[in-house]
Amino acid sequence: EYQWKGPFYFIQGADPQFGLMKAWTCGDTDNGDDEWGEEIKLAEQAVQAINKLNPKPKFFVLCGDLVHGMPGTLWRKNQVQDLKNVLKNTAQDIPLVFVSGNHDVGNSPTRETVDDYCENWGDDYFSFWVGGVFFLVLNSQLFFDSSQCPELKEAQDVWLDEQLAVAEKQKCKHIIVFQHIPLFLQNPDEDHGYFNLEKSVREEIMEKFHKAGIKAVFAGHYHRNAGGSYKGVEMVVSSAIGCQLGEDTHGLRVVVVTEDKLVHRYYSLNELSSQGIEKELLDVLAKQK
């Protein structure tokens, strides 16, 4: 779909993270993830809300931390299976897009953990087109710590440069990136911490994205809503479907893509289930048809 066909929208979710709510409550985030009934209910609510939407979204992207169990941990296989069972109920005509998070490939990924992720969820980085808009899915863990698999980071870097060259040639309407770890939470020059990328890495990526004309980067990981911008590149951090670490509610982000801009809003699952998308956003969709 290289051609612009008019405005559309997609749904972004992040961090269903089956197992974190119990682990967080009992203060044992390494081994306390032996229950995830609450997250199953929330993920089911998310799927039901999306299925009811009219018009339908072009796709539903999950920005990482699909489950809480790190590679090789006790409950991981069951968590993965339970999430797949929930997601199977997504309407057939709404494609699912998966992004790898630190819990999916490990804080220091290896070739084995990445292979395991790919077997379950598909490639850890790839690109796709929707109606003249170019989307890039990245494995942000390779930016965070690639010490165990430097060759994988190098391969993604080479691939990314090739993709950005393709985007430039194709004259796409927008380029949009999905990754798990945000480049930054509020300010491009903020200090490095657990929830953002290391400063020198961040600066290099931000500059590359700016030069390539990337419109926005959508991420999760923070379990709160946040964001800012760098030279016209918007950084959008969405809170979780699962465990909340701040004041936000379990929710999803609706992103409307028009010819000249992106308009997005975070909805609580209850709001999206009961009321659907507000008229204001629907009007933006309809206006340019």
Side-chain angles (χ1 to χ4, degrees):
E1 293 196 1
Y2 295 120
Q3 302 305 315
W4 176 251
K5 296 192 177 90
F8 62 88
Y9 80 100
F10 63 86
I11 302 283
Q12 182 218 5
D15 304 271
Q17 206 156 345
F18 282 21
L20 176 59
M21 289 170 90
K22 160 92 190 291
W24 191 256
T25 310
C26 71
D28 181 0
T29 49
D30 291 332
N31 311 297
D33 60 335
D34 58 348
E35 287 174 23
W36 51 91
E38 197 57 37
E39 285 97 335
I40 289 178
K41 282 191 204 130
L42 291 162
E44 284 173 344
Q45 190 183 357
V47 166
Q48 284 158 9
I50 291 167
N51 287 347
K52 278 199 326 209
L53 295 173
N54 183 23
K56 289 247 191 300
K58 281 286 187 180
F59 60 87
F60 171 28
V61 58
L62 273 171
C63 281
D65 281 1
L66 306 172
V67 300
H68 184 65
M70 287 277 187
T73 55
L74 186 58
W75 302 107
R76 180 183 171 95
K77 276 203 168 81
N78 303 59
Q79 291 168 358
V80 165
Q81 194 49 58
D82 284 352
L83 178 58
K84 285 182 180 179
N85 291 342
V86 173
L87 293 173
K88 273 180 196 151
N89 296 316
T90 311
Q92 291 297 298
D93 51 357
I94 303 174
L96 291 165
V97 177
F98 297 108
V99 182
S100 63
N102 57 308
H103 282 261
D104 305 310
V105 295
N107 286 324
S108 307
T110 64
R111 184 173 279 284
E112 288 69 40
T113 63
V114 171
D115 284 350
D116 177 69
Y117 170 84
C118 294
E119 259 170 55
N120 276 298
W121 303 106
D123 293 341
D124 60 322
Y125 58 89
F126 56 96
S127 62
F128 61 98
W129 288 85
V130 175
V133 177
F134 193 46
F135 291 92
L136 293 163
V137 170
L138 298 178
N139 180 346
S140 57
Q141 226 39 48
L142 298 175
F143 299 137
F144 187 80
D145 178 6
S146 62
S147 57
Q148 306 295 308
C149 56
E151 73 289 354
L152 296 187
K153 177 182 189 294
E154 198 180 319
Q156 177 173 260
D157 288 347
V158 168
W159 173 87
L160 179 56
D161 290 341
E162 285 166 359
Q163 295 296 307
L164 294 175
V166 166
E168 193 180 8
K169 263 205 208 80
Q170 291 287 355
K171 303 267 185 287
C172 48
K173 277 285 171 222
H174 307 295
I175 312 170
I176 296 171
V177 172
F178 298 120
Q179 58 188 56
H180 178 61
I181 300 184
L183 298 168
F184 57 89
L185 299 172
Q186 264 104 24
N187 302 302
D189 55 357
E190 69 198 15
D191 289 342
H192 167 233
Y194 176 76
F195 289 111
N196 59 15
L197 288 178
E198 199 269 313
K199 260 179 154 176
S200 61
V201 175
R202 178 197 317 168
E203 279 158 12
E204 191 184 325
I205 298 169
M206 290 190 309
E207 204 41 44
K208 180 181 283 195
F209 285 2
H210 160 66
K211 286 194 174 121
I214 283 169
K215 193 79 161 195
V217 180
F218 288 88
H221 189 52
Y222 191 43
H223 296 253
R224 286 157 279 217
N225 288 308
S229 69
Y230 172 82
K231 295 185 183 175
V233 182
E234 191 182 4
M235 181 69 242
V236 184
V237 185
S238 293
S239 196
I241 293 171
C243 190
Q244 299 301 309
L245 301 184
E247 300 302 306
D248 296 295
T249 47
H250 312 281
L252 295 164
R253 191 173 295 276
V254 174
V255 186
V256 176
V257 183
T258 76
E259 197 154 5
D260 52 355
K261 62 179 193 258
L262 305 180
V263 186
H264 53 84
R265 184 177 159 214
Y266 185 83
Y267 288 83
S268 75
L269 293 180
N270 291 342
E271 214 180 343
L272 202 58
S273 303
S274 58
Q275 294 154 25
I277 300 170
E278 69 201 303
K279 187 174 178 314
E280 216 178 320
L281 280 188
L282 290 172
D283 286 348
V284 173
L285 263 182
K287 214 179 269 171
Q288 306 188 359
K289 291 244 156 120

